[in-house]
Amino acid sequence: PQGELFDYFSLAFEIYRGLRRLGQSVDILSPDQAAARLDEYSIVMVPGLFACPPALASAMVTTSARVIFGPRSASKTKAFQIPPNLPPDLPADIMPGRVTRVETLAEGLTVPLSASGHFHIWREFVEADVAAEIRFETADGFPAIIRRGKVDYLCGWPDGTCLETILSG
């Protein structure tokens, strides 16, 4: 089935483990807590937030923190629909691009990044906004990480090496 291996908890847990391997302290916050406290952090990881509440979206526009969205973030509305303008459903001021297609990767199949590391389990094909910068690409030439201002969007499920690349970039 489509996305059989994709599990939001597993994605969040893998990113948590990767951050801890890098020696990072990690606070886990609800979207409401994060909306009120974004500026307390230099980096905010949003591994796979299904829908982005309005308060959090507004806070992200003005925060001084670097915000890194994982794959499938803001991919649905609170009514479980695909956003009318395609995911991620974020304010126009910080929208790094639009997800136009997704792909489930079979177990053991990976998509190498041109820098280092790879995506596994899930990848997205994203059209970068004209105001966004493509930070890294996949080896086959598609955006892997795009940035607009302080907001990064990760276009796939990262392995540990990919996560290190993201955090160092």
Side-chain angles (χ1 to χ4, degrees):
Q2 174 72 17
E4 180 179 18
L5 297 176
F6 194 104
D7 174 71
Y8 282 104
F9 178 79
S10 295
L11 174 64
F13 188 62
E14 276 192 36
I15 289 176
Y16 170 81
R17 286 182 18 200
L19 290 167
R20 293 298 299 140
R21 271 194 305 272
L22 293 171
Q24 300 294 315
S25 294
V26 177
D27 291 341
I28 298 174
L29 305 175
S30 71
D32 291 337
Q33 291 171 318
R37 299 177 52 194
L38 280 182
D39 286 331
E40 295 177 22
Y41 300 92
S42 57
I43 296 177
V44 176
M45 296 288 301
V46 184
L49 184 64
F50 185 72
C52 189
L56 182 57
S58 295
M60 287 186 206
V61 171
T62 60
T63 188
S64 59
R66 178 174 170 211
V67 179
I68 304 171
F69 283 98
R72 293 189 79 175
S73 290
S75 62
K76 302 289 184 191
T77 66
K78 67 180 185 176
F80 295 95
Q81 296 176 328
I82 295 173
N85 295 322
L86 298 177
D89 191 16
L90 298 171
D93 299 11
I94 61 170
M95 173 66 73
R98 300 270 180 227
V99 176
T100 58
R101 185 167 50 113
V102 299
E103 182 176 60
T104 298
L105 301 173
E107 191 167 356
L109 184 64
T110 63
V111 177
L113 269 63
S114 56
S116 61
H118 63 263
F119 291 150
H120 60 126
I121 300 175
W122 187 265
R123 96 179 279 189
E124 298 176 345
F125 297 87
V126 178
E127 291 178 0
D129 187 88
V130 294
E133 167 191 6
I134 298 172
R135 302 281 299 154
F136 299 101
E137 292 183 340
T138 57
D140 57 0
F142 292 96
I145 303 163
I146 55 177
R147 176 176 290 169
R148 181 164 179 194
K150 292 266 188 185
V151 174
D152 288 1
Y153 189 85
L154 180 57
C155 307
W157 188 310
D159 73 332
T161 304
C162 177
L163 186 58
E164 286 182 44
T165 301
I166 294 162
L167 293 174
S168 65

